[in-house]
Amino acid sequence: MSNVYGKPVPPKKDRREMARESARQLREEQQKKEKRNRWLLRGGIGAGLIAAAVVVALVVVGSQGPAAPGPLNMASDGVLLGGDGTNIVPVETVSVAADEDPIATDPTTLGDTANIVVYADYLCPFCGQFETTNGEQIAGWVAAGTATLELHPISILDPVSAGSKYPTRAAAAVACVANYEPENVLALNAALFANQPAENTEGLTDEDLVSLATSAGVTDEKVATCITENTFAAWVGTATQRALDGPLPNADIEQVKGTPTVLVNGVSYPGALDDPAAFEAFVTAQATAE
């Protein structure tokens, strides 16, 4: 027996022991990191970072317009992707009205899989790092049917996009594709991170976003209009606020406090973003947990 990469898979009992040991090591590393961060904060070193985070949160809160209806296939504020053993298949959902709450995904309907949920900002360099490191292996798991992926595009870094609100526009572009051609969402997600602009720049133009969508396989002309008219920009703002305010559904944390926020079967990932082996071990641990 082998996994989707052709590597031999140990017996189930050994896999569980390996997964538990990996999870234990990850927890210990996270505890060390938290202890170090508390020490830094006591010394005042982290005060500037906290202040910056508060400023971002306040700007997000103050910049929200009126509520707007959401796109098709993002009823949970995220687009859910599964697999049929070969291909990645989006789960179709309704559009949530402006005055309605999102409809959380019911994990009991997803079967015996690793349910991966990612909250990401397309200007966030750490999100780009996570995608570059883990995107391909996640796509392989999803296509094989051993995992599902729920992408939540949010925009917390508008204040560092030189006034262009690039994170909101990029997230809205993903919503446009989810609405019209959800089968191409993952390809656009990868293209956005492959062409990720630097913080404190204006980022890509709306026309650039249309071109990326086309390169990702989108053919419906309504997507281009949706992107250039920023049809779902207001919805991105309200969805972002919901993620920041919480509570997050199906999660062991109350709210998003930074990006990327990654959950596997409801458990937040505490490990390195640039270590695919660590993430694979974490996913395995959650998928085999009793």
Side-chain angles (χ1 to χ4, degrees):
M1 180 180 179
S2 61
N3 61 16
V4 295
Y5 301 102
K7 298 177 182 178
V9 176
K12 187 172 184 179
K13 179 180 178 182
D14 292 345
R15 293 205 308 274
R16 287 184 175 177
E17 290 301 319
M18 292 167 61
R20 287 169 179 162
E21 176 61 19
S22 297
R24 184 190 64 78
Q25 292 176 1
L26 285 172
R27 285 195 298 270
E28 288 182 354
E29 287 300 317
Q30 180 64 11
Q31 289 168 356
K32 291 178 182 178
K33 182 187 295 184
E34 291 174 352
K35 183 177 180 181
R36 182 173 66 253
N37 288 344
R38 287 195 298 270
W39 181 84
L40 290 173
L41 287 173
R42 282 200 300 270
I45 297 174
L49 294 176
I50 291 177
V54 171
V55 169
V56 169
L58 289 175
V59 172
V60 170
V61 170
S63 64
Q64 303 313 312
L72 290 169
N73 309 311
M74 297 188 77
S76 68
D77 282 349
V79 57
L80 179 63
L81 306 170
D84 60 7
T86 303
N87 302 303
I88 294 175
V89 182
V91 176
E92 296 183 1
T93 64
V94 298
S95 171
V96 175
D99 58 349
E100 293 180 340
D101 293 330
I103 304 168
T105 299
D106 181 358
T108 65
T109 66
L110 302 180
D112 187 19
T113 62
N115 307 315
I116 303 169
V117 179
V118 179
Y119 292 82
D121 182 307
Y122 288 107
L123 192 58
C124 163
F126 299 110
C127 300
Q129 185 181 62
F130 179 79
E131 166 64 24
T132 300
T133 302
N134 298 288
E136 185 176 347
Q137 71 172 355
I138 292 174
W141 298 333
V142 175
T146 57
T148 60
L149 173 63
E150 187 168 309
L151 290 174
H152 289 255
I154 61 175
S155 58
I156 62 175
L157 292 179
D158 276 354
V160 291
S161 62
S164 78
K165 295 187 176 181
Y166 175 73
T168 289
R169 293 187 295 107
V174 172
C176 289
V177 174
N179 188 78
Y180 292 107
E181 293 187 20
E183 64 275 14
N184 290 314
V185 161
L186 195 59
L188 177 58
N189 177 75
L192 285 167
F193 283 121
N195 294 273
Q196 186 178 52
E199 292 176 310
N200 297 306
T201 69
E202 293 182 357
L204 305 179
T205 65
D206 290 340
E207 290 71 24
D208 292 333
L209 293 173
V210 170
S211 295
L212 276 187
T214 301
S215 71
V218 171
T219 58
D220 194 324
E221 294 180 357
K222 292 189 287 292
V223 171
T225 301
C226 180
I227 291 174
T228 56
E229 293 184 353
N230 291 302
T231 299
F232 292 114
W235 171 82
V236 169
T238 55
T240 297
Q241 199 60 56
R242 283 191 285 262
L244 293 174
D245 291 343
L248 295 184
N250 309 315
D252 65 346
I253 55 175
E254 181 69 15
Q255 60 205 168
V256 167
K257 294 184 177 179
T259 53
T261 293
V262 182
L263 306 162
V264 181
N265 287 3
V267 181
S268 51
Y269 173 58
L273 300 175
D274 59 352
D275 187 342
F279 185 64
E280 182 176 14
F282 181 78
V283 171
T284 301
Q286 304 313 314
T288 57
E290 295 180 353

